[in-house]
Amino acid sequence: MSSRTYYVTTPIYYVNDVPHIGHAYTSLACDVLARFKRLDGYDVHFLTGTDEHGQKVETAAASAGLSPQAFTDKVSQSFRDLVGKMNFSPDNFIRTTEPRHYKSCQALWEKLVASGDIYLGKYAGWYSVRDETYFVEGETEVGEDGKRRAIPTGAEVSWVEEPSYFFKLSAWADRLLAFYEKNPGFIGPDSRRNEILSFVKGGLQDLSVSRTSFSWGVPVPGDAKHIMYVWLDALTNYITECGYPDTDSPLWKYWPADLHMVGKDIIRFHCVFWPAFLMSAGLAPPRRVFAHGWWTNEGQKMSKSLNNAIYPDELVKAYGLDPVRYFLLREVPFGNDGDFQKRALIGRMNGDLANAYGNLCQRVLSIVAKNCGEKVPPKGALIEADTALLGRAKGLLAAVRSELDEQAFHRALAVIWEVIADANRYVDAQAPWALAKTDPARRDTVLWVLAETIRRVTLLVQPFMPDSTASILDQLGVPAEGRSFASFDSELVSGIGLPKPQGVFPRYVEPKAA
Ligand code: MSP
């Protein structure tokens, strides 16, 4: 196993609702990174799971007429099922109701107490159950309907007044700023980094970290009337997985995490609270947090009340899994908000997949099958046009690696598709079908150059579209052990027998109305 570790996490999902495309998006981004790093020789640990405590889940369970445990067992399963439906490849699925997690949260709490960062007080202020977040008066407003809402999120707030333990977050502002300064790559994209810097520079208030008015959570050690604030509990999942508090655990080698992938709505918890908790406990903060944007549906915010959430199952059924995976990461610059439009998805399917990539594979593989005895053709002397195309394909690994290290999925795909376009132009210019009679040796070389270019491109597309690329690599005769990036610089071996080619990316045809 490689000594280079890579630990990537999704947020753990609230189990108050079934998963929609927004949830699938965060996990998909992590899945692509985990797959890429595995192919690139890293010892990867990819974690996802569910966030099962708190008032929101307690309330959702009560309205479903179930105990919180029975309710969370049920909804957590739907997130586990999503893993299979979307072909995600996590190494583990964590639930905050597991005993190991209680132990980890309580151990972390005791460290915070030992550092002098926890004190008992009384909380009086606004709380949004939907966001599981405290708001100060100035962050709320009363709407025309007479209801008070949090301005940043639009969620209803209610007045909470109860004894509470506090974490001395106010004392951490300078140390956090020094940490951000020293670690410029800690928050991505830059716009989010600026947002966090100005928030912390504005001064921090102590954070209420326990509740007494309900009971669905992890008990505070030594004072069981209190349960831990759900965000302290939830964030801790990332170290529970690594064996905390047992730092001799074999999984502890993964800490600090290389990347916490989150949506833009939960960046403050990950970039302010979490590093402060960790530093207070004497633990290293994660190396990077990246916040992606939000999807809307044909211009509208997705919500339960508008009944317009997009569900991954429905999309996959209509368009196929790999096209959906491709579209979500190609269409919108990662980090920006995006509007989901069927028209755009169909455009990508027919343009990028069927016409560009699919057609390239189909043209080349079918000429090879017809003319080269169902074998990888022989490679003759190369001319400049050949080495130019091969060189561009070869340069892709470094380019994609650096784009993905910045979570720029859209740019990684764009550079790969530039080479696909180059290869299609090369097919037209070299016209291998015309060479059949005049110069069969040159035709073979042209086909070899194309097959080799498809091999390189396809190795890099694997993390995005695992099933389709497996089929293309089968058709090119690339063995399973030749599919990691360690084989990127090797070459297709002439003479290897090839199976009958099959189309991989069909054009989307609108189903006929019944
Ligand atoms: N439980 C917390 C996370 C705790 S992590 C220690 C939580 N859960 S969530 O289920 O509400 O959201 C999980 C993720 O889904 C977030 O990253 C959020 O940004 C993402 N999305 C939810 N709706 C979304 C869209 N409409 N579009 C894109 N992502 C969205 O927050």
Side-chain angles (χ1 to χ4, degrees):
M1 185 65 73
S2 166
S3 58
R4 294 184 303 170
T5 58
Y6 185 80
Y7 180 29
V8 56
T9 65
T10 75
I12 46 171
Y13 300 101
Y14 285 130
V15 289
N16 62 312
D17 205 355
V18 294
H20 61 60
I21 201 71
H23 306 119
Y25 185 53
T26 316
S27 293
L28 171 62
C30 295
D31 185 60
V32 169
L33 294 174
R35 288 176 182 271
F36 186 89
K37 292 288 180 183
R38 286 186 195 116
L39 291 168
D40 211 11
Y42 285 77
D43 169 3
V44 170
H45 198 73
F46 167 22
L47 179 68
T48 188
T50 41
D51 183 356
E52 307 192 359
H53 291 132
Q55 204 170 346
K56 169 150 87 173
V57 172
E58 193 180 78
T59 312
S63 44
L66 292 170
S67 70
Q69 189 64 57
F71 179 77
T72 54
D73 287 346
K74 188 169 149 216
V75 187
S76 178
Q77 187 56 41
S78 63
F79 281 92
R80 224 180 254 270
D81 294 343
L82 182 70
V83 168
K85 288 177 188 162
M86 294 295 294
N87 202 2
F88 296 150
S89 61
D91 295 288
N92 204 4
F93 187 101
I94 193 168
R95 299 182 57 187
T96 53
T97 44
E98 291 174 49
R100 63 172 175 144
H101 182 64
Y102 278 60
K103 194 169 138 202
S104 165
C105 289
Q106 290 177 332
L108 181 67
W109 181 279
E110 278 167 348
K111 283 277 187 202
L112 303 182
V113 171
S115 300
D117 275 328
I118 298 273
Y119 64 91
L120 184 60
K122 188 173 166 197
Y123 180 76
W126 297 102
Y127 191 77
S128 151
V129 176
R130 194 186 84 189
D131 307 317
E132 297 283 18
T133 304
Y134 301 96
F135 289 98
V136 296
E137 184 86 16
E139 290 175 307
T140 68
E141 66 186 359
V142 180
E144 282 172 9
D145 56 2
K147 288 183 178 157
R148 187 176 285 271
R149 293 193 167 77
I151 300 167
T153 66
E156 251 182 74
V157 292
S158 51
W159 185 255
V160 169
E161 213 172 308
E162 60 188 18
S164 170
Y165 286 96
F166 284 82
F167 175 77
K168 279 189 200 157
L169 189 62
S170 57
W172 280 91
D174 290 344
R175 283 174 282 182
L176 284 167
L177 290 169
F179 170 73
Y180 305 145
E181 177 92 10
K182 230 178 122 195
N183 298 278
F186 175 61
I187 307 171
D190 283 344
S191 55
R192 299 290 164 205
R193 178 181 157 79
N194 296 336
E195 177 187 318
I196 291 295
L197 286 182
S198 60
F199 174 70
V200 176
K201 281 183 184 152
L204 296 173
Q205 296 199 340
D206 290 351
L207 179 71
S208 162
V209 285
S210 77
R211 302 287 310 269
T212 46
S213 50
F214 64 96
S215 59
W216 182 236
V218 179
V220 165
D223 193 351
K225 286 191 303 301
H226 290 256
I227 58 153
M228 286 183 203
Y229 174 39
V230 66
W231 269 100
L232 171 55
D233 158 349
L235 289 161
T236 305
N237 92 86
Y238 302 131
I239 54 173
T240 300
E241 176 66 7
C242 299
Y244 191 77
D246 174 13
T247 52
D248 291 327
S249 155
L251 290 171
W252 191 252
K253 67 177 171 185
Y254 293 115
W255 193 258
D258 292 274
L259 179 69
H260 291 324
M261 180 67 79
V262 300
K264 63 177 184 178
D265 51 320
I266 56 174
I267 186 131
R268 212 177 265 186
F269 302 96
H270 285 82
C271 295
V272 182
F273 301 173
W274 183 223
F277 295 153
L278 287 165
M279 290 195 276
S280 169
L283 296 172
R287 293 188 207 282
R288 183 165 166 88
V289 177
F290 189 94
H292 64 69
W294 269 48
W295 284 97
T296 48
N297 183 4
E298 313 270 347
Q300 277 191 317
K301 186 174 186 252
M302 272 185 241
S303 79
K304 242 182 176 173
S305 52
L306 290 170
N307 193 23
N308 68 343
I310 298 173
Y311 294 99
D313 314 39
E314 292 166 14
L315 278 189
V316 168
K317 199 165 149 222
Y319 304 100
L321 175 58
D322 279 350
V324 169
R325 288 178 56 116
Y326 174 81
F327 170 77
L328 290 174
L329 293 176
R330 178 65 188 91
E331 184 66 11
V332 176
F334 201 68
N336 293 5
D337 290 337
D339 186 39
F340 184 92
Q341 293 178 349
K342 286 189 176 155
R343 207 165 29 88
L345 169 51
I346 294 168
R348 291 278 175 196
M349 268 183 89
N350 289 345
D352 300 4
L353 299 184
N355 289 352
Y357 187 23
N359 195 30
L360 174 68
C361 298
Q362 184 91 354
R363 282 161 106 182
V364 172
L365 288 164
S366 61
I367 310 178
V368 168
K370 278 197 205 103
N371 298 276
C372 309
E374 296 172 344
K375 289 193 186 110
V376 175
K379 168 191 177 190
L382 301 180
I383 64 169
E384 204 190 316
D386 309 339
T387 49
L389 181 62
L390 290 169
R392 280 194 295 273
K394 193 165 187 170
L396 281 178
L397 176 57
V400 171
R401 208 182 252 149
S402 87
E403 296 298 3
L404 290 188
D405 278 337
E406 292 178 27
Q407 291 76 47
F409 300 94
H410 59 294
R411 289 207 303 262
L413 289 168
V415 294
I416 299 173
W417 257 256
E418 277 168 24
V419 174
I420 291 176
D422 287 341
N424 272 319
R425 277 190 289 269
Y426 171 95
V427 183
D428 295 337
Q430 301 298 323
W433 50 88
L435 292 166
K437 289 211 179 82
T438 55
D439 191 349
R442 174 66 195 149
R443 175 204 60 200
D444 287 350
T445 300
V446 166
L447 292 172
W448 182 88
V449 167
L450 284 163
E452 171 59 8
T453 302
I454 297 174
R455 182 189 71 93
R456 291 226 165 115
V457 160
T458 305
L459 288 181
L460 295 172
V461 181
Q462 288 179 98
F464 296 88
M465 298 192 281
D467 293 338
S468 318
T469 50
S471 161
I472 296 170
L473 293 171
D474 287 345
Q475 297 183 47
L476 284 173
V478 178
E481 63 281 8
R483 296 182 186 190
S484 80
F485 302 152
S487 301
F488 190 79
D489 284 341
S490 66
E491 289 187 342
L492 266 184
V493 182
S494 301
I496 288 185
L498 299 178
K500 204 170 147 53
Q502 285 172 354
V504 172
F505 297 111
R507 282 187 70 78
Y508 178 79
V509 191
E510 206 62 66
K512 291 212 175 67

